[in-house]
Amino acid sequence: MSPNARRLLSFLGILAVLIAMWEGYKWMGTATGGVWPGTGIGLPVRTNERSMPHTWDVVIALLRPARRGGEMLLLVLLRAALFTWRSALLGFVLGSAVGFGLGVLFVRSALAERGLMPHVVASQTVPILAIAPILVVWAGRLNVTRWLVVAVVSAYLAFFPVAINTLRGLRSPDATASELMRSYAATPNQVLWKLQVPAALPYLFPALKIAATASIIGAIVGELPASMPDGLGRAILNFAAAFSAAPEKLFASILVASLVGIGFVGVVVLAERVLIPPSRRLEDLSEAAGPQSRTLKEVVA
Amino acid sequence: MSALALRGVGKVFNPGSDQEVRAVHGVDLSAERGEFISVIGPSGCGKSTLLRLIGDLTPPSSGTVLVNGKTPARARLDRDYGMVFQSATLLEWRRVQANVELPLEIMGMDAAERSRQAAAMLELVQLDRFANHYPWQLSGGMQQRVAIARALAFKPSILLMDEPFGALDEMTRERMQSELLRIRAETGTTVVFVTHSIPEAVFLSTRVVIMSPRPGTITEVVDIDLPEPRSDDTREDQRFFELLTDVREGLRAVEDS
């Protein structure tokens, strides 16, 4: 079996296990009346249709009209996703460019790194939910199109992992390689483009994968204070408000939102496959610190 | 004008602190153009530091270093140095040919000339068939030959080599030594060569410089008057063994002191 087939199979296998766990839990709760079998201890999550719809109901909901007599929910969500993805893509490009620029600045100047790095780290501890409305209000005075503002919020999340990993990558060449460049009397720009940047590429791609997911989250969160009617942010908010009536619609929008994120990461992976030979690829994402886990929680809250 | 003139050269790391190290102390050394100087001594005797002082990779704490009558910084900016380290330090994303072209690219040579020059160098180290390979596809000895081709590509007047064959097996090592002598005969480059192998130093050099540690200083210089051109037969020459003994005794004196 080819490695790709094996990967696909293990993905599907785990997906099947997750679905089985969801449905199994639901079945157990229904059978016992909401307690752990043989005890009187209540289950943490209720298993009725209002809390946990069947997985197939979520899929079926996607294929039904979003509103009575309206368009299919899937189409509505895909259109919203496309709208959000436009902001996210711009945010990703903007954030990656800024992150790369900061990495270069830091490797060039120890002073800049000492002075700016604490602020860069601090920027990621500020809740994006607080930053987004401020940016929206400021941009409102400048008459900037709303979706561009959303892109800036998205870039705010995307730049950080890129900056950190670019710096790591630019610093990755051996001391002897730097000394070799010194012996050629290479200019700082030649050292950057002929040694440091090529050496940094394998470090850059894991960060870009994180930036891709972070930019989607940033765009969804950014749409809320910007009161964008067309994106995934509004759709999620609406379906959250109607959760008890139609929980499967919120789950369906989560599904579409994550599929957009996965698709975006897939594009970055393809770019990596084309640009970086297998011997130089880093599989290790753990070193590329990302803010996405925190913001996911914010969105759910 | 000598290719190399060191006078009272010293290097102190972390001066004034409790981790102060006098790596090199009071070194006087000069070399004529075309000489092959080996620096040999036990670990920590400052031989690599001495090479780095000559190559402007670290500034001296005292004394003067002149390379072709210039300061090391000037010589470096004039691209007088070719450097080869113990690790080949090839850029893994470049093919062999592009690795050899790297210094030429940095020096602004045009593409056609660069390609011709790099091809000639790969022929010199007998790797022309591997021009389109990536470094990881080559053995350690082949990688080191690429590093030598790269160091020679821009025709530097002085070649600084820091244990370049240290990581190679004995057979490869001897073959590389013969090749280095052949290359030097063709190019006439001055070589300063750091090693801790006595046969290597004797086989290659016109002079062997023996250093002792704490502080790193020159204790003896042995002139190597082996017949030229040297070949594998040289290694079995009676004179070769006598010189091995001379250098070994010089090193033993260092260790006993």
Side-chain angles (χ1 to χ4, degrees):
Chain A
M1 204 188 319
S2 80
N4 278 338
R6 207 175 308 153
R7 201 172 301 170
L8 181 69
L9 213 67
S10 72
F11 170 77
L12 291 176
I14 288 171
L15 187 66
V17 169
L18 288 175
I19 291 172
M21 282 171 70
W22 177 283
E23 293 297 340
Y25 178 87
K26 197 169 152 60
W27 175 83
M28 179 183 78
T30 314
T32 63
V35 295
W36 290 105
T39 69
I41 305 163
L43 292 171
V45 178
R46 289 203 198 169
T47 55
N48 59 25
E49 297 301 318
R50 288 187 173 179
S51 304
M52 287 181 70
H54 281 294
T55 44
W56 49 83
D57 282 341
V58 173
V59 177
I60 290 168
L62 278 172
L63 304 174
R64 292 226 172 108
R67 252 177 257 155
R68 202 181 298 273
E71 255 185 320
M72 203 194 282
L73 179 63
L74 182 64
L75 285 179
V76 173
L77 285 174
L78 281 180
R79 192 171 305 118
L82 198 67
F83 184 87
T84 300
W85 190 67
R86 180 174 59 163
S87 301
L89 180 64
L90 185 65
F92 170 79
V93 171
L94 214 66
S96 302
V98 169
F100 184 81
L102 279 173
V104 171
L105 179 69
F106 289 166
V107 82
R108 284 283 179 84
S109 156
L111 186 69
E113 192 196 349
R114 266 203 308 275
L116 267 174
M117 189 58 108
H119 295 283
V120 166
V121 173
S123 76
Q124 299 301 301
T125 69
V126 178
I128 190 74
L129 271 181
I131 296 284
I134 297 173
L135 288 175
V136 170
V137 171
W138 286 355
R141 296 271 297 170
L142 300 168
N143 265 331
V144 181
T145 324
R146 287 262 169 107
W147 75 272
L148 289 178
V149 183
V150 174
V152 172
V153 177
S154 159
Y156 187 90
L157 286 190
F159 90 95
F160 182 71
V162 178
I164 299 296
N165 258 31
T166 300
L167 181 60
R168 267 174 53 94
L170 294 174
R171 288 219 171 112
S172 67
D174 286 343
T176 45
S178 306
E179 288 175 348
L180 212 55
M181 297 301 273
R182 184 177 157 83
S183 79
Y184 304 149
T187 64
N189 273 334
Q190 286 174 326
V191 175
L192 181 69
W193 292 108
K194 293 196 188 294
L195 176 65
Q196 292 175 314
V197 169
L201 284 183
Y203 292 81
L204 191 60
F205 276 95
L208 290 179
K209 288 176 211 168
I210 293 174
T213 59
S215 70
I216 301 270
I217 301 293
I220 290 175
V221 175
E223 281 171 352
L224 303 181
S227 324
M228 307 280 297
D230 307 319
L232 274 179
R234 170 56 53 182
I236 288 172
L237 215 57
N238 286 344
F239 293 132
F243 183 73
S244 51
E248 68 280 359
K249 286 186 181 168
L250 184 61
F251 283 107
S253 19
I254 291 173
L255 191 64
V256 170
S258 60
L259 285 177
V260 173
I262 291 170
F264 203 174
V265 172
V267 173
V268 177
V269 170
L270 278 181
E272 183 182 28
R273 292 253 165 108
V274 172
L275 291 171
I276 313 276
S279 59
R280 298 194 65 218
R281 265 176 231 151
L282 301 181
E283 294 297 335
D284 169 16
L285 279 161
S286 61
E287 302 270 5
Q292 78 277 32
S293 55
R294 175 176 52 79
T295 47
L296 268 172
K297 267 180 237 136
E298 281 173 15
V299 169
V300 173
Chain B
M1 184 180 62
S2 339
L4 195 62
L6 279 70
R7 198 175 301 270
V9 172
K11 178 68 187 182
V12 182
F13 291 109
N14 309 316
S17 80
D18 53 356
Q19 282 153 36
E20 181 178 294
V21 178
R22 286 162 78 201
V24 172
H25 182 73
V27 165
D28 295 310
L29 179 67
S30 61
E32 295 311 309
R33 196 150 293 179
E35 266 203 86
F36 195 121
I37 309 265
S38 280
V39 183
I40 194 168
S43 301
C45 71
K47 53 193 191 295
S48 287
T49 305
L50 185 64
L51 198 76
R52 297 169 62 81
L53 289 167
I54 296 169
D56 193 37
L57 294 178
T58 188
S61 309
S62 55
T64 54
V65 179
L66 287 180
V67 176
N68 299 326
K70 299 175 280 194
T71 64
R74 186 69 252 160
R76 182 172 63 82
L77 295 175
D78 289 348
R79 279 121 181 186
D80 284 357
Y81 299 118
M83 292 192 190
V84 182
F85 304 100
Q86 182 169 355
S87 70
T89 319
L90 302 178
L91 303 187
E92 54 186 303
W93 54 89
R94 285 173 170 249
R95 292 171 194 273
V96 164
Q97 167 93 15
N99 262 290
V100 178
E101 285 186 24
L102 175 71
L104 307 176
E105 241 173 82
I106 285 168
M107 291 165 198
M109 187 183 281
D110 71 73
E113 179 65 22
R114 211 158 69 201
S115 158
R116 202 163 39 237
Q117 181 68 16
M121 286 302 136
L122 284 174
E123 210 168 312
L124 186 70
V125 297
Q126 297 172 347
L127 282 178
D128 34 330
R129 288 192 304 115
F130 294 91
N132 284 320
H133 284 57
Y134 280 100
W136 55 270
Q137 294 171 307
L138 306 184
S139 70
M142 288 159 91
Q143 289 190 17
Q144 205 53 283
R145 268 145 72 197
V146 177
I148 293 171
R150 179 181 60 188
L152 292 170
F154 53 100
K155 301 193 165 42
S157 65
I158 181 163
L159 195 55
L160 303 179
M161 306 181 91
D162 192 354
E163 297 186 39
F165 309 142
L168 306 179
D169 64 83
E170 194 60 28
M171 299 303 290
T172 313
R173 198 170 173 142
E174 289 194 357
R175 209 169 54 242
M176 296 288 289
Q177 290 163 5
S178 303
E179 232 176 295
L180 180 60
L181 280 188
R182 177 180 60 77
I183 290 165
R184 179 172 151 273
E186 285 180 40
T187 57
T189 314
T190 310
V191 184
V192 182
F193 189 100
V194 166
T195 180
H196 44 222
S197 159
I198 300 169
E200 182 167 84
V202 171
F203 179 69
L204 291 172
S205 312
T206 53
R207 269 191 298 160
V208 174
V209 170
I210 300 172
M211 286 186 76
S212 79
R214 286 177 299 276
T217 194
I218 295 177
T219 52
E220 196 180 338
V221 178
V222 180
D223 284 311
I224 307 295
D225 50 1
L226 288 170
E228 305 278 352
R230 297 174 197 177
S231 67
D232 283 339
D233 295 337
T234 309
R235 296 183 199 278
E236 281 150 32
D237 194 303
Q238 186 56 41
R239 184 70 190 133
F240 180 71
F241 291 111
E242 288 167 20
L243 287 163
L244 284 187
T245 308
D246 287 355
V247 173
R248 190 172 293 123
E249 277 171 3
L251 277 170
R252 196 169 294 158
V254 164
E255 275 161 17
D256 291 344
S257 65

